[in-house]
Amino acid sequence: MLPYEKLLADNKAWATEQNKIDPDFFKRLAAQQAPQFLWIGCSDSRVPADKITGTDPGEIFVHRNLANLVGNSDINLLSVFQFAVEFLKAKHIMF
């Protein structure tokens, strides 16, 4: 099995297991996104935001970049910030 095939198979297995545990999980996620936190973190693959914060999908809105830098010329970060604050009504920004 090629690496990307394993990744896709693992994702499908996770979704199947999640549906067994909680049949309404994906319906709830699709219905709303109202995280209280915007998490600006490092892109480092060893630091998954949900794992180190103990949160479930939809509980934090995540932006990842190199060294979790915030710069006033980073259009991508600024658009994430604006979306999180204006539309999602995130109350807390975490670095």
Side-chain angles (χ1 to χ4, degrees):
M1 180 180 287
L2 294 170
Y4 77 89
E5 292 172 325
K6 181 181 180 332
L7 184 70
L8 294 173
D10 288 349
N11 177 252
K12 187 174 183 177
W14 173 83
T16 300
E17 183 63 24
Q18 193 63 45
N19 272 324
K20 287 179 189 173
I21 295 168
D22 182 357
D24 294 326
F25 178 77
F26 292 107
K27 290 176 188 171
R28 281 195 314 278
L29 284 182
Q32 73 167 1
Q33 178 177 211
Q36 290 190 35
F37 299 94
L38 166 59
W39 178 274
I40 300 172
C42 184
S43 297
D44 190 328
S45 63
R46 301 167 296 175
V47 187
D50 60 327
K51 299 287 187 201
I52 66 173
T53 60
T55 55
D56 289 325
E59 290 187 324
I60 59 174
F61 191 63
V62 177
H63 175 75
R64 295 174 68 155
N65 61 29
L66 291 176
N68 61 321
L69 295 174
V70 174
N72 65 356
S73 63
D74 184 344
I75 298 298
N76 187 33
L77 175 114
L78 294 174
S79 64
V80 167
F81 188 85
Q82 181 178 11
F83 184 78
V85 173
E86 288 186 19
F87 297 100
L88 297 177
K89 308 296 184 204
K91 296 179 177 89
H92 310 282
I93 312 303
M94 310 295 292
F95 297 92

